[in-house]
Amino acid sequence: MRLVNHAIFEVAVQSVQFKKSGYYGKFLIGIFLLLVACNVNNKLAEAKKVKTPVIIYISHDNRPISAFQTVETVRCAGYKVKIPPDYLLGNNSSSGDPDGLYKWLLKNASDSTAAIISTDALLYGSLVESRKHNFSHKLLKERVERFKTIHEKYPKLKLYVFSSIMRTPRSSLASGNEEPRYYVQYGGKIFRYTELLDKRSSVGLQPREVVELSNLEREIPAPILADWFNRRKKNLQANEELIDLTKKNVFTYFSLSCDDNAPFSQTHYESLQLKKYAANLSATQFQIMDGIDEVGLLLLTRSINQLRHARPVVAVEYAPGYGGATIPKYSDEPINTSVYSEIITAGGQPTSALVKDALVLLVNTDISGKTKEVGSDDNGIYAHQNTAAFINMIENYVQAGKKVAVADIAYANGADNALMNGLYRHNLLFKINAYAGWNTATNSTGWAIAQGLLSLDMSKANKDDLLMLRYLDDWAYQANVRERLQRRLSIYPGHGNRYALGEKEMLAKIDADYYLQEFADKYFAGSDIKTVDVSFPWHRLFEININMVE
């Protein structure tokens, strides 16, 4: 820029000499061309000054997978993400701060392009608090109206919003101590009661089931049922009000998620009601789907695809056996239905045909169509009936130069050891683009889809770092180390258990550090990892935060 201006000045200084020499016309042409060049350079300079879009992300709590790991995945793809301070987010002991989050959002919205927002955080404080709160419907309605205020104040800010339909855990054990206290004693009966209610409304009950329903209604204290259903009613009303805002185009996209679910349950029953309520909304505006913890990353991916005006294709294939017809544990629908919804939510195009440049999503399902818990005795390193065929499928796509994402859902809450051992032996661990095998099946498929799509814009180093994190978390810890720690808790001195480590936490950390380091040294010997440092952010065994020091 300075060179062009300097050249114009030099020509102007010599203009008199050009006049005298008869080259004045040529001089004017030179001035014109230089001015054109200057204008072009100005536009190029302005283009370079265009800022990378800033995306706001408010997660439904501060768990690593919900917050840090989600944000890190997006940042590894080259995008700026702005998140609220941790003290505003809820955890398993703190409810979070809906009013503080709203003020933070208003303060940071002016220079942002899009905002991905958990309504559980903005209405209740966190996902966990949405199950236990005592807020009035009036207060919740006022908080819903805040989204309208945000839209009116910042009409150019694209709002991608996600909410949950309250879960219905099968038992106190399945609830992880995240329900009201009475669920410890009555959780199993409450689940069965709503399972029968839902079944009665859809397909009818057998005579013995009618008797069982009547008995359960007498066995569960009326005040407990009233409390539980009243909170669910407020959640249902809030979700209807959020759907109303979607109909008014306040939201660019609204995703409504069924938290831990079952084919017959109160969650399933309410999802059917909300589907009817939102019947006129298209899939470009609204989606009801299974799962919740993966939705933040899916919507971040959608916002990025829309910023790029891209609609990437995702080709889906399943392991031999039941494959896509599998109805996983904690879900009420076949996994192929969930996967289809997740690809749409991420802004992609699902297909069963392999097309050029498609991301290939390969889903590891058990041949029987069952989803077992990760701690099952048969989750060993020896290949199952369909494992070898699935590994060959992965290898063939990789060798063909395809971008591959693997969703590992044969077991709930952790990886399939036989699959992972096979990927290691075939040297495939870092030849794929994305992997997920954590928590519920839809958590894993959604994460693999989103991270797989974002990986297309990543450097190999960033892609491999994210894969390493998943392998250490989903494979090393969730499928192996967590069970070892759980067995060792009984020999640690002091008070504590797997849900609240208490005085046992430091010893659990020491062992977790040792076991994960041992795992990394064995399977990732060629990596730059020198130390694996583990912490328990919610002071329980279920999830960890991993810091890899090179």
Side-chain angles (χ1 to χ4, degrees):
M1 177 63 189
R2 284 198 300 263
L3 287 175
V4 174
N5 286 337
H6 180 68
I8 294 172
F9 176 73
E10 288 296 321
V11 173
V13 167
Q14 299 175 38
S15 63
V16 174
Q17 295 176 6
F18 282 149
K19 272 188 178 181
K20 290 178 180 179
S21 64
Y23 290 100
Y24 187 60
K26 293 181 179 179
F27 163 73
L28 290 176
I29 292 172
I31 287 288
F32 173 75
L33 292 174
L34 285 169
L35 285 171
V36 169
C38 179
N39 186 49
V40 170
N41 280 354
N42 273 332
K43 288 183 177 180
L44 288 173
E46 287 173 7
K48 288 180 180 177
K49 289 180 182 177
V50 173
K51 295 180 180 179
T52 301
V54 176
I55 304 171
I56 287 173
Y57 175 54
I58 298 178
S59 58
H60 53 222
D61 56 42
N62 71 347
R63 281 173 298 161
I65 198 72
S66 307
F68 167 73
Q69 291 179 13
T70 294
V71 171
E72 189 64 17
T73 302
V74 177
R75 287 175 176 166
C76 280
Y79 294 89
K80 293 182 179 179
V81 184
K82 193 183 294 186
I83 57 174
D86 191 72
Y87 66 83
L88 293 177
L89 298 172
N91 53 43
N92 59 340
S93 60
S94 172
S95 61
D97 185 351
D99 297 333
L101 285 169
Y102 176 61
K103 290 174 184 175
W104 179 89
L105 177 57
L106 287 176
K107 184 178 178 181
N108 288 273
S110 61
D111 63 345
S112 300
T113 303
I116 286 73
I117 305 168
S118 161
T119 66
D120 290 318
L122 265 288
L123 299 187
Y124 313 106
S126 71
L127 181 63
V128 171
E129 190 62 18
S130 73
R131 305 162 183 161
K132 301 189 290 188
H133 72 89
N134 288 305
F135 298 128
S136 67
H137 174 247
K138 180 176 179 293
L139 176 58
L140 293 176
K141 187 174 179 63
E142 289 171 359
R143 289 176 175 172
V144 168
E145 289 296 306
R146 288 173 170 176
F147 286 101
K148 189 186 295 185
T149 302
I150 295 165
H151 179 63
E152 290 170 352
K153 192 167 184 178
Y154 302 105
K156 292 183 179 180
L157 180 69
K158 295 183 181 298
L159 298 176
Y160 300 84
V161 175
F162 62 109
S163 180
S164 68
I165 301 172
M166 288 175 68
R167 68 178 187 169
T168 314
R170 288 182 175 274
S171 64
S172 171
L173 185 64
S175 76
N177 290 344
E178 293 176 9
E179 298 291 324
R181 289 185 181 276
Y182 53 71
Y183 218 82
V184 172
Q185 183 175 355
Y186 294 101
K189 290 182 178 181
I190 290 173
F191 172 82
R192 180 59 177 161
Y193 179 67
T194 72
E195 183 179 33
L196 292 172
L197 287 177
D198 186 17
K199 187 176 181 182
R200 183 178 67 180
S201 69
S202 56
V203 298
L205 297 178
Q206 298 294 324
R208 60 178 176 77
E209 291 175 322
V210 173
V211 174
E212 184 184 2
L213 180 63
S214 178
N215 290 338
L216 285 168
E217 194 164 288
R218 286 195 301 271
E219 292 168 9
I220 305 169
I224 286 176
L225 279 180
D227 176 80
W228 199 73
F229 277 107
N230 183 53
R231 191 173 293 106
R232 299 194 72 96
K233 182 180 178 181
K234 287 186 282 190
N235 175 261
L236 186 71
Q237 290 171 325
N239 281 324
E240 288 176 344
E241 289 156 7
L242 291 165
I243 289 171
D244 290 338
L245 293 184
T246 310
K247 292 176 180 177
K248 295 174 183 176
N249 296 314
V250 170
F251 301 146
T252 301
Y253 194 82
F254 178 39
S255 176
L256 186 51
S257 299
C258 299
D259 203 356
D260 295 354
N261 199 5
F264 290 116
S265 66
Q266 189 64 21
T267 304
H268 173 257
Y269 175 76
E270 290 166 3
S271 73
L272 296 178
Q273 289 182 279
L274 289 166
K275 279 179 184 176
K276 290 179 183 177
Y277 193 81
N280 295 328
L281 289 172
S282 72
T284 61
Q285 299 171 283
F286 173 76
Q287 188 91 255
I288 289 185
M289 53 196 280
D290 281 3
I292 180 65
D293 291 333
E294 75 281 9
V295 178
L297 185 59
L298 284 168
L299 289 181
L300 281 160
T301 305
R302 182 182 186 87
S303 70
I304 289 166
N305 279 327
Q306 293 194 337
L307 282 170
R308 296 168 60 241
H309 304 289
R311 196 156 175 243
V313 176
V314 182
V316 186
E317 195 166 342
Y318 296 86
Y322 271 70
T326 300
I327 299 178
K329 200 170 185 180
Y330 309 108
S331 184
D332 68 348
E333 64 185 13
I335 191 62
N336 57 2
T337 302
S338 299
V339 165
Y340 180 91
S341 298
E342 288 172 331
I343 295 171
I344 295 295
T345 300
Q349 301 179 68
T351 179
S352 57
L354 189 63
V355 298
K356 186 180 179 182
D357 299 328
L359 174 72
V360 180
L361 175 71
L362 302 179
V363 185
N364 179 38
T365 50
D366 189 83
I367 195 168
S368 69
K370 305 289 185 182
T371 306
K372 302 174 184 177
E373 282 295 332
V374 72
S376 300
D377 292 338
D378 67 346
N379 190 13
I381 64 172
Y382 300 107
H384 308 144
Q385 190 173 347
N386 64 344
T387 306
F390 187 69
I391 292 170
N392 287 338
M393 187 188 300
I394 296 170
E395 189 165 31
N396 290 337
Y397 279 120
V398 168
Q399 288 179 350
K402 303 301 180 184
K403 307 294 186 184
V404 174
V406 175
D408 185 4
I409 66 167
Y411 294 91
N413 297 311
D416 178 346
N417 280 316
L419 169 64
M420 302 313 294
N421 188 60
L423 294 181
Y424 168 72
R425 288 188 293 103
H426 285 253
N427 193 28
L428 291 169
L429 288 174
F430 294 99
K431 291 182 180 177
I432 62 176
N433 276 56
Y435 168 86
W438 58 275
N439 220 342
T440 68
T442 53
N443 291 159
S444 290
T445 53
W447 192 275
I449 290 163
Q451 188 162 307
L453 290 173
L454 293 175
S455 75
L456 303 179
D457 291 327
M458 291 181 195
S459 66
K460 180 172 174 24
N462 283 344
K463 173 187 76 71
D464 288 353
D465 283 348
L466 293 174
L467 282 169
M468 180 74 77
L469 181 60
R470 293 268 57 83
Y471 295 150
L472 287 173
D473 198 330
D474 307 356
W475 179 20
Y477 182 77
Q478 301 295 346
N480 296 283
V481 173
R482 179 157 60 93
E483 290 293 319
R484 294 176 72 177
L485 293 180
Q486 191 167 311
R487 291 192 296 268
R488 290 181 61 81
L489 280 180
S490 62
I491 67 171
Y492 296 155
H495 297 285
N497 56 55
R498 60 178 169 166
Y499 298 115
L501 288 168
E503 297 169 339
K504 300 176 185 282
E505 184 166 337
M506 182 52 67
L507 288 172
K509 172 192 163 39
I510 292 170
D511 277 350
D513 285 347
Y514 176 80
Y515 292 142
L516 260 72
Q517 188 66 56
E518 183 181 55
F519 191 96
D521 291 343
K522 177 180 178 180
Y523 289 101
F524 314 124
S527 73
D528 296 326
I529 298 176
K530 292 184 174 61
T531 307
V532 179
D533 181 65
V534 172
S535 61
F536 301 96
W538 278 25
H539 309 291
R540 63 184 187 181
L541 287 184
F542 192 69
E543 63 275 296
I544 55 172
N545 188 51
I546 300 174
N547 184 29
M548 295 175 285
V549 182
E550 296 183 355

